[in-house]
Amino acid sequence: MRTDAMTRTCLAGFVALACAACTVGPEPHKPAVDVPQGWAASRDPAIASDLPSRVETGPVDPHRWWSVFRDPVLDGLIQTAMDQSLDVQTAGLRIGEARAQRDRAAGAYYPQVQANGTAARLRSGASGVGSLLGGSSGGASGSSSSESDGFSTNLFQAGFDATWEPDLFGRVRRSVQAAQAQVRAAEDRRRAAMVSLAAEIARAYMALRGAERQRAITRADIGSQEKLQVLIDSRNRSGLAPASEVATQRVQVSGARARLPQIEQAITTNRNRLALLLAMPPGSVDERLGERALPALPPEVPVGLPGDLLRRRPDIRQREAEVDAATARIGVATSALFPSIRFGAVGSFSSNKASTLFDWASRFGLIGAQLSVPIFQGGQLRAQVRVADLQAQEAVLSYRQTVLAAFHDVDNAMTTYAQDQRRTVDLDRQAGESRHGRDLALDRYTSGLGAYIDVLNAEHQTNQVELDLAQSAATASTDLVALFKALGGGWEED
């Protein structure tokens, strides 16, 4: 009866303590930041002017932003990379690790129960522990005794023990909050890896198409220079062109050919870069890539408002989750300043014979509680609270710095995109004029009305402008990729 009364008393204490439990420490909340009403770059006249691809502040859904280029090869590369990228897979495993850590922290909510069993042979001398256990000559079955041998017996035990510490001041709850915030941070790290992966593939793809365009221009330049070489050689044999023009033209042909290996190297490097991003061996995507024109820019690029970045950019979301985790750890550290109580129960059977181990007479039970009150630890506990508080403040500053950097990233990307487009437009106009001037100079030279130096200068200027135009067009496309990355595009909710 006394045992039953004690059990009811302990259970009542469990319920009372659970009801009285509270959670110490601050609740996680989003840090306050100053969000501009609009983009500073939108006030730039170059952005507001009539460009082939205009930036607007309309609603944006940049999850699959690469589709604006309308290039099926690029679409397929990015989709394959999302499935095969080793970086994305690694980030996914880290999400699993974070979730396992959360589940381990949540396990402290529940009682810890374990079973145990013992089988032993106890032996001692005549004047040893056996005499204290009541050993005598003529022991019971399963034991033997003599004056010379002392005391020996078997010992069999089987039972369980259980412990439970109620979460009086929220230590477990705050630990779970911190672990759950780390899960969110890991998920956003994976999303950030997806954003970077899509941007890196698009950059390498644009660089590849730009280099292929430069190669085509260079090859055409070599062909025209070789044709001009044939013309000059013919005029030289007819006595209409001096030998110096022949030598100079040969230098021009050699110079045009010398540019080609560097362009070929850039093409190979970008193809291998794409293969690496797809987690494939070098050269394995060459057939898939083929040779295509540089994708055209979309006529409009909506970028939304600065406040949209707070939920769209994975790095900002990750920093916010880290702030929540650091804030929850303040509560974990604070809870150590308060008392804790641990309840325990032990039940077992013990006998010197295996056959009687589970007889009711062999039972043994114990139930009780242990109260622990921190009194003096030399300031360690309060110092730990200060450490947690300072770490939370650092996390807030890191969050604000990330938000501020994101605003600058988008503003700078908008300006760069507009200015490089303006340069491309000017170079395209210049290239058209240069081609017209080159054709006029060549016609005058062929008819004997112009000098060879005029043709040479016109060819050199036209080829240089064509190469600059190809590079500028690829740069503008890369700028758009950088803008979408700054906007946090490239991931979708799981």
Side-chain angles (χ1 to χ4, degrees), residues 270-286:
N270 284 300
R271 285 177 179 269
N272 288 339
R273 174 65 177 161
L274 288 169
L276 177 61
L277 291 170
L278 268 65
M280 300 173 69
S284 56
V285 296
D286 291 356

Side-chain angles (χ1 to χ4, degrees), residues 311-385:
R311 300 312 310 163
R312 193 166 58 234
R313 281 204 27 159
D315 56 342
I316 294 178
R317 294 161 57 103
Q318 176 189 336
R319 296 300 183 192
E320 181 183 340
E322 291 172 352
V323 170
D324 290 348
T327 304
R329 292 192 194 101
I330 297 176
V332 176
T334 304
S335 65
L337 299 173
F338 295 88
S340 64
I341 189 169
R342 181 184 297 270
F343 297 96
V346 177
S348 68
F349 292 88
S350 179
S351 175
N352 62 351
K353 295 181 181 179
S355 60
T356 61
L357 176 61
F358 294 104
D359 289 350
W360 188 244
S362 301
R363 74 187 186 280
F364 171 78
L366 174 67
I367 187 170
Q370 177 183 359
L371 177 66
S372 177
V373 181
I375 297 177
F376 178 75
Q377 281 79 27
Q380 296 181 50
L381 300 181
R382 294 193 178 278
Q384 187 58 41
V385 174

Side-chain angles (χ1 to χ4, degrees), residues 27-348:
E27 289 292 336
H29 63 281
K30 180 183 293 187
V33 291
D34 294 328
V35 179
Q37 297 299 316
W39 303 109
S42 62
R43 298 188 292 271
D44 190 337
I47 295 179
S49 61
D50 188 17
L51 293 172
S53 179
R54 298 180 302 278
V55 174
E56 299 183 349
T57 56
V60 56
D61 182 18
H63 295 317
R64 293 180 57 85
W65 54 261
W66 49 87
S67 61
V68 302
F69 292 108
R70 301 183 182 277
D71 190 315
V73 176
L74 177 60
D75 295 346
L77 290 174
I78 293 180
Q79 183 59 53
T80 301
M82 293 297 181
D83 296 335
Q84 299 182 177
S85 169
L86 300 181
D87 289 339
V88 174
Q89 292 181 42
T90 300
L93 292 176
R94 287 173 181 164
I95 294 176
E97 293 175 15
R99 289 173 177 168
Q101 294 284 2
R102 176 200 58 194
D103 294 342
R104 184 176 70 173
Y109 278 126
Y110 306 101
Q112 310 299 306
V113 182
Q114 59 185 7
N116 54 72
T118 302
R121 177 73 173 172
L122 179 63
R123 182 181 179 86
S124 70
S127 59
V129 70
S131 62
L132 300 177
L133 296 176
S136 61
S137 60
S141 175
S143 65
S144 62
S145 176
S146 69
E147 290 193 29
S148 60
D149 294 339
F151 175 80
S152 63
T153 186
N154 296 325
L155 178 62
F156 299 94
Q157 288 184 331
F160 75 94
D161 61 82
T163 60
W164 178 59
E165 181 179 343
D167 192 24
L168 296 181
F169 297 99
R171 177 184 62 83
V172 177
R173 180 190 171 197
R174 293 303 190 199
S175 297
V176 173
Q177 280 183 343
Q180 179 59 36
Q182 290 296 346
V183 171
R184 288 166 38 214
E187 291 171 346
D188 286 315
R189 276 192 291 271
R190 180 177 181 272
R191 291 167 181 149
M194 296 170 67
V195 170
S196 296
L197 177 63
E200 287 301 315
I201 290 177
R203 283 175 177 170
Y205 187 80
M206 300 305 172
L208 171 64
R209 298 312 185 198
E212 289 173 346
R213 174 59 180 159
Q214 292 181 36
R215 180 174 64 181
I217 294 171
T218 303
R219 285 175 173 174
D221 181 33
I222 292 172
S224 71
Q225 294 290 351
E226 289 175 343
K227 289 179 181 179
L228 187 57
Q229 179 75 61
V230 172
L231 176 61
I232 294 174
D233 287 342
S234 176
R235 289 172 61 84
N236 175 256
R237 288 191 296 270
S238 302
L240 300 177
S244 60
E245 290 185 0
V246 175
T248 303
Q249 182 58 28
R250 287 174 180 171
V251 172
Q252 289 296 113
V253 172
S254 298
R257 289 172 177 168
R259 289 195 296 269
L260 195 57
Q262 186 175 6
I263 297 174
E264 294 284 5
Q265 178 185 354
I267 291 174
T268 301
T269 300
N270 284 300
R271 285 177 179 269
N272 288 339
R273 174 65 177 161
L274 288 169
L276 177 61
L277 291 170
L278 268 65
M280 300 173 69
S284 56
V285 296
D286 291 356
E287 183 177 353
R288 179 176 178 179
L289 289 169
E291 188 166 346
R292 299 171 61 91
L294 182 71
L297 299 177
E300 296 179 355
V301 181
V303 296
L305 296 173
D308 299 337
L309 295 185
L310 301 185
R311 300 312 310 163
R312 193 166 58 234
R313 281 204 27 159
D315 56 342
I316 294 178
R317 294 161 57 103
Q318 176 189 336
R319 296 300 183 192
E320 181 183 340
E322 291 172 352
V323 170
D324 290 348
T327 304
R329 292 192 194 101
I330 297 176
V332 176
T334 304
S335 65
L337 299 173
F338 295 88
S340 64
I341 189 169
R342 181 184 297 270
F343 297 96
V346 177
S348 68

